Amino acid sequence: MKTPGRTYGLLSETSTVEETRNPFYKRNLSPAAPLAWLARGWDDLWTQPGPSLVYGAGVFLLSALFIWLLFAGGRDYYVFPAMAGFMIVAPLLAAGLYAKSRALEAGEPVSGRRMFRVRSETGTHIFFTGLLLVLLMLLWMRAAVLVYALFFGVSAFPGFSQITQMLLTTPTGWAMLLVGSFIGSLFAGFAFAISVFSIPMMLDKRVDALTAMGTSTALVWNNLLPMLTWGGIVLALVAVCAATALVGLIIVFPLLGHATWHAYRAMEGPAA
């Protein structure tokens, strides 16, 4: 039954992008704002740098050990998906760096023990978010293997020397790269949205995991331009780490961790 004077149709019934935005979460930040977060993160890194550099070295050693275990266990085909999946769990791994930036902000003493034994204001809620991120990473690694099988069939991994040639010099390889990158970006985008502000928020305030993840997603969506810039910066710096055989993590990881805390402060406002 039609309502008089009202037109029904697909386009007329669909909300525009702007109608999904919420002014409560808008911060009106410029796309260049992430550069300021990075600069403040750099300052935090070199203020009592010892704990931050040890933290970065620890992440580097854990990453190197994980990759070695993949090779030793004959799972070398997981290396590329695992490196991409690292970005999914990185916000959780950086919790100690948020603690240092928070202490510097409050004028409190900084210690390695305080960074490595982080106490959340929400108790076990942060564990729930961490578990979700780990499950997302494992799901992405499995999806990456399925994408490979979809294009190259159920065959043994040919090794890094041959897989690079297969991916870059054949139409099938390029197609797999495009599809894999698209699917990976969905995983990474979702993980980024729910975790980039939720982990710092749960360290700073008494808020449950679902509220923190929902608020983080809303802040990302309503401040899309600066967050896209921030995501691009993170991706570029992670690529630098990959190009240096992960050694760059010793400096890049704490830098991004400290900068993320300042991104959280810039976005906090009344929404948190």
Side-chain angles (χ1 to χ4, degrees), residues 187-199:
F187 278 94
F190 177 69
F192 177 78
I194 66 173
S195 65
V196 63
F197 299 126
S198 64
I199 304 295

Side-chain angles (χ1 to χ4, degrees), residues 38-105:
L38 203 63
R40 297 192 68 181
W42 182 261
D43 291 340
D44 285 358
L45 169 60
W46 297 112
T47 302
Q48 302 182 44
S52 295
L53 294 177
V54 169
Y55 205 101
V59 171
F60 162 67
L61 292 175
L62 285 175
S63 302
L65 176 62
F66 181 69
I67 291 176
W68 179 82
L69 289 173
L70 289 178
F71 276 98
R75 307 290 188 197
D76 49 345
Y77 50 85
Y78 275 127
V79 170
F80 287 138
M83 292 177 66
F86 171 79
M87 297 180 66
I88 295 178
V89 297
L92 179 67
L93 296 177
L97 300 166
Y98 307 151
K100 177 186 172 181
S101 289
R102 182 187 181 190
L104 291 174
E105 183 182 83

Side-chain angles (χ1 to χ4, degrees), residues 55 87-99 102 118-134 191-217 219 253 257 260-261 264-265:
Y55 205 101
M87 297 180 66
I88 295 178
V89 297
L92 179 67
L93 296 177
L97 300 166
Y98 307 151
R102 182 187 181 190
V118 179
R119 294 186 62 183
S120 170
E121 292 293 329
T122 59
T124 58
H125 282 271
I126 197 171
F127 172 78
F128 174 80
T129 305
L131 179 61
L132 177 59
L133 293 176
V134 171
F192 177 78
I194 66 173
S195 65
V196 63
F197 299 126
S198 64
I199 304 295
M201 190 182 302
M202 285 187 284
L203 293 175
D204 188 47
K205 299 181 181 298
R206 192 167 183 82
V207 59
D208 65 273
L210 293 178
T211 299
M213 289 189 288
T215 302
S216 178
T217 304
L219 288 170
F253 191 82
T260 298
W261 175 260
Y264 160 67
R265 282 303 193 207

Side-chain angles (χ1 to χ4, degrees), residues 163-177:
I163 192 62
T164 302
Q165 183 179 4
M166 289 169 58
L167 291 176
L168 299 180
T169 62
T170 65
T172 304
W174 279 107
M176 197 205 85
L177 282 176

